[in-house]
Amino acid sequence: MSTKENQTDLKSAKGTKDYSKYFEGVSYKVLEETETLKKIRVNGREAVVFSEPAYSEGKRRGKEEIQVLGFEGIPEDMLGVGTGKKYAIYTYGCQMNTHDTEIMAGIFEDMGFTRTDDEKKAAVILFNTCAVRENAEDKVFGELGRLKHLKLENPELVLGVCGCMSQEEAVVNKILRSYPHVDLVFGTHNIHRLPVLLRESFMSKEMVIEVWSKEGDIVENMPKLRTDGLKAWVNIMYGCDKFCTYCIVPYTRGKERSRMPEDIISEVRELARQGYKEVTLLGQNVNAYGKDFVDRKYGFGDLLDDIHKIDIPWVRFTTSHPRDFDDHLIEVLAKGGNLLEHIHLPVQSGSSSMLKMMARKYTREHYLELVAKIKKAIPNATLTTDIIVGFPGETEEQFQETLSLVEEVGYDLAFTFIYSPRHGTPAASMEDNISEEEKKSRLQQLMDLQNRISRQKNEELRGRVVEVLVEGVSKKDPDVLSGRTRSNKLVNFKGDPSMIGQFAQVRILEPLTWTLNGEAVMEVE
Ligand code: SAM
Ligand code: SF4
């Protein structure tokens, strides 16, 4: 099942042709309109729109088979175009974005560009954005405003916005209205088209917009620039079909689609061959892996069982969804070895009625049963979670149920958030009847509780020897090394820099809330 599409020709760009909503509130003049594009003049700048985001399309889930496309490589006329030029990418949000940045960096390097952290030296600056909460979006708009002066100083600079924010109609609309110095906007489904879009941007001087709001394909063989040689992200699937009522991800990332096991396995084998020590398998809901296969029955448990046999020392995965976490997976994880016993299992709320409002498709009881099963099969399992407070209508009683669940499970760590309404999601139209003050107070109570539990959990490690993958020198003290345990806890200890990239045995002497301080007792590979 492999089809190719013309990546070198912008005329093949896919998009809907209803621009009405997209330009809402934006005063613009149409200069040219053809089958494939629309040229407009807005805010003194010309923009060429090849395709624009459309929520109605983004949330569609049809029956079409997922296409596995092959990256065609860099078009000949773009090879070497970056020689002597630099690029910078600012990344926001989840690991998926971090990995997308590695792919875009790989594409840039294949065109001859080199990376820089100094934005004054960059010929291209990209913002790889996150749309999950409003504050992440505000930061990006703040940065785009800040960079306006750079564009004035250097009109040749190409300033681009990509990632989840680009998939939002309102964001592209706001860029057109208020950030005319942005040159390029492309979506999460358009990453493989970066060379073509850059070519257009370099040549036309217009703002170039290409955001496909489709369910999504899989593009294999994309270049990737992995920098540390130690830990690697590996996508196993894309998109999400869960449609939790608060979440924008299913709209920005398209439908759930799994990479072929053979493609994943050969990528992990290659990473092992190159000497990588750890891989993290990525997906919004890794437990749904394989559900979209039409020609085979092969799930996440089967994939982990196969990866278990590969000679890569550590294998992590994120994120798990409690609804799809099955017994076979628990059985495979219990084999241990390179499959690490850290499970990130977002609960979101401890109240069954809240979970129903969130459309999480499990109850408090089901979640606790699952936790009990995991702990029985994997006694040394470390559990971490995500929790939202202040979801519309959350009562004090329901919030107390969250606190009691946190106490009962005993997470090692929790990522806690105040609910942020996301335009276009079902929860955004629910009545938000909780005051800001109350939301902040709930968040504080939850963090205080979790910090106490995290501290207790870490205290259990006092005097114990743990295995640590040494990642580098500590940010605070150049004489101190830092690394992570199998359960992903940060450990600092005095040691020789030659240990970087190796596994070390470290005795924990001083457990703190978020880190563990210790001493090396032995070096092992
Ligand atoms: N797919 C994962 C899952 O199901 O848990 C995580 C995806 S999301 C990028 C990461 C976390 O952000 C979620 O677990 C949730 O706690 C939080 N989140 C998502 N939408 C949110 C919203 N509208 N407001 C606050 N937090 C949100
Ligand atoms: Fe968002 Fe829910 Fe999908 Fe996670 S499972 S990405 S929270 S919709």
Side-chain angles (χ1 to χ4, degrees):
M1 178 173 65
S2 174
T3 57
K4 303 245 177 195
E5 64 188 57
N6 188 352
Q7 291 169 62
T8 59
D9 181 4
L10 267 172
K11 291 201 173 60
S12 70
K14 300 170 184 173
T16 60
K17 287 283 140 247
D18 176 16
Y19 294 96
S20 52
K21 234 186 162 180
Y22 174 52
F23 294 121
E24 231 165 43
V26 181
S27 158
Y28 68 97
K29 185 177 171 198
V30 179
L31 304 174
E32 184 189 341
E33 191 166 3
T34 70
E35 271 286 286
T36 53
L37 61 84
K38 178 165 186 155
K39 271 191 191 178
I40 58 168
R41 186 158 185 87
V42 55
N43 269 336
R45 177 94 195 258
E46 283 178 20
V48 54
V49 184
F50 292 101
S51 58
E52 78 292 356
Y55 256 18
S56 52
E57 286 295 307
K59 73 174 181 198
R60 214 173 71 88
R61 293 295 184 266
K63 294 248 175 290
E64 296 95 66
E65 213 177 307
I66 292 152
Q67 308 265 291
V68 181
L69 312 172
F71 182 65
E72 283 191 339
I74 310 292
E76 225 161 84
D77 61 333
M78 291 303 280
L79 284 169
V81 86
T83 309
K85 291 187 182 150
K86 295 189 187 296
Y87 70 97
I89 309 179
Y90 296 110
T91 311
Y92 298 79
C94 65
Q95 297 93 337
M96 205 70 75
N97 267 12
T98 307
H99 189 43
D100 283 348
T101 289
E102 291 180 339
I103 292 170
M104 290 189 280
I107 295 176
F108 273 113
E109 305 267 332
D110 280 4
M111 288 188 288
F113 289 87
T114 50
R115 195 161 183 168
T116 179
D117 291 330
D118 181 352
E119 57 197 27
K120 289 207 175 89
K121 292 192 177 138
V124 184
I125 300 177
L126 290 187
F127 284 87
N128 188 6
T129 60
C130 170
V132 170
R133 280 169 294 275
E134 197 179 357
N135 54 5
E137 297 202 351
D138 291 346
K139 273 188 213 154
V140 170
F141 283 122
E143 285 294 284
L144 289 177
R146 186 181 66 76
L147 289 190
K148 197 172 178 181
H149 77 278
L150 257 191
K151 267 298 281 189
L152 290 174
E153 279 167 29
N154 174 15
E156 297 299 309
L157 169 70
V158 170
L159 188 59
V161 178
C162 56
C164 286
M165 277 173 71
S166 315
Q167 297 289 142
E168 293 181 85
E169 291 166 15
V171 166
V172 179
N173 192 294
K174 187 166 170 177
I175 290 174
L176 281 167
R177 242 184 305 127
S178 312
Y179 300 86
H181 57 289
V182 168
D183 302 287
L184 179 59
V185 180
F186 61 99
T188 57
H189 302 294
N190 305 73
I191 291 175
H192 64 294
R193 295 182 47 84
L194 178 57
V196 184
L197 296 169
L198 262 186
R199 179 215 283 143
E200 189 65 22
S201 185
F202 285 148
M203 280 181 0
S204 69
K205 301 287 171 212
E206 295 151 337
M207 186 193 290
V208 173
I209 301 172
E210 189 186 89
V211 182
W212 292 347
S213 292
K214 55 181 189 166
E215 297 172 52
D217 303 319
I218 290 176
V219 185
E220 286 294 344
N221 304 324
M222 301 266 266
K224 293 173 190 108
L225 184 74
R226 292 182 167 116
T227 43
D228 76 353
L230 198 62
K231 296 164 66 160
W233 307 108
V234 175
N235 268 125
I236 63 164
M237 60 188 300
Y238 304 92
C240 180
D241 286 350
K242 282 281 181 275
F243 288 99
C244 302
T245 53
Y246 51 81
C247 186
I248 201 165
V249 171
Y251 307 78
T252 62
R253 290 272 171 182
K255 79 171 167 191
E256 262 169 22
R257 48 209 197 276
S258 309
R259 286 180 72 198
M260 291 292 146
E262 45 277 24
D263 290 330
I264 300 167
I265 288 166
S266 75
E267 185 171 348
V268 174
R269 280 215 182 99
E270 177 56 21
L271 289 164
R273 198 192 59 74
Q274 291 172 15
Y276 278 81
K277 299 287 193 288
E278 179 185 309
V279 293
T280 302
L281 309 176
L282 288 181
Q284 290 299 344
N285 169 11
V286 287
N287 310 81
Y289 176 79
K291 289 194 176 206
D292 52 316
F293 290 150
V294 284
D295 58 346
R296 57 180 104 187
K297 211 173 162 309
Y298 186 95
F300 187 51
D302 302 309
L303 179 70
L304 277 186
D305 211 9
D306 281 337
I307 291 179
H308 179 57
K309 295 166 198 145
I310 300 176
D311 192 14
I312 182 107
W314 281 6
V315 179
R316 299 186 190 281
F317 55 92
T318 196
T319 301
S320 290
H321 192 294
R323 159 83 183 212
D324 296 325
F325 210 110
D326 59 30
D327 291 350
H328 177 51
L329 175 59
I330 298 177
E331 213 175 283
V332 172
L333 283 174
K335 293 182 182 179
N338 62 356
L339 306 179
L340 302 186
E341 50 280 353
H342 170 211
I343 299 166
H344 185 63
L345 195 62
V347 66
Q348 313 299 358
S349 167
S351 150
S352 293
S353 48
M354 263 294 99
L355 290 169
K356 195 163 185 199
M357 295 290 288
M358 292 174 164
R360 287 291 288 179
K361 303 182 180 79
Y362 55 85
T363 59
R364 173 191 176 99
E365 292 69 33
H366 169 255
Y367 186 91
L368 288 172
E369 265 167 42
L370 174 62
V371 166
K373 261 197 235 171
I374 293 172
K375 285 183 175 174
K376 187 163 178 239
I378 314 160
N380 56 345
T382 297
L383 292 168
T384 56
T385 199
D386 293 348
I387 297 171
I388 297 175
V389 298
F391 184 83
E394 185 190 54
T395 62
E396 175 59 27
E397 206 182 345
Q398 288 167 327
F399 172 63
Q400 289 299 329
E401 287 186 78
T402 296
L403 294 182
S404 74
L405 180 131
V406 166
E407 190 93 60
E408 191 167 339
V409 175
Y411 296 106
D412 281 67
L413 190 75
F415 297 94
T416 52
F417 310 104
I418 289 180
Y419 165 71
S420 171
R422 303 288 58 217
H423 179 71
T425 60
S429 48
M430 296 178 191
E431 194 195 347
D432 189 357
N433 54 356
I434 309 161
S435 69
E436 269 316 293
E437 202 187 348
E438 183 56 36
K439 287 178 189 169
K440 284 185 185 152
S441 151
R442 287 182 190 173
L443 183 70
Q444 194 57 52
Q445 290 175 60
L446 179 60
M447 288 190 323
D448 289 346
L449 171 63
Q450 183 53 51
N451 289 349
R452 174 171 65 70
I453 298 171
S454 298
R455 180 76 179 75
Q456 269 168 11
K457 291 265 164 194
N458 285 349
E459 191 57 42
E460 288 166 16
L461 295 172
R462 188 184 287 276
R464 299 241 313 259
V465 174
V466 293
E467 189 178 22
V468 173
L469 175 55
V470 188
E471 292 173 13
V473 290
S474 150
K475 283 183 193 136
K476 289 187 188 146
D477 183 347
D479 293 332
V480 171
L481 299 178
S482 72
R484 295 209 172 245
T485 63
R486 288 175 67 93
S487 54
N488 212 24
K489 292 185 193 249
L490 189 63
V491 177
N492 293 316
F493 65 101
K494 281 219 159 71
D496 192 89
S498 64
M499 293 166 89
I500 295 171
Q502 309 295 323
F503 288 98
Q505 299 294 323
V506 178
R507 187 183 310 282
I508 302 306
L509 301 176
E510 189 193 10
L512 303 170
T513 306
W514 296 292
T515 52
L516 305 164
N517 294 334
E519 64 177 7
V521 291
M522 185 171 69
E523 253 182 89
V524 286
E525 177 52 33

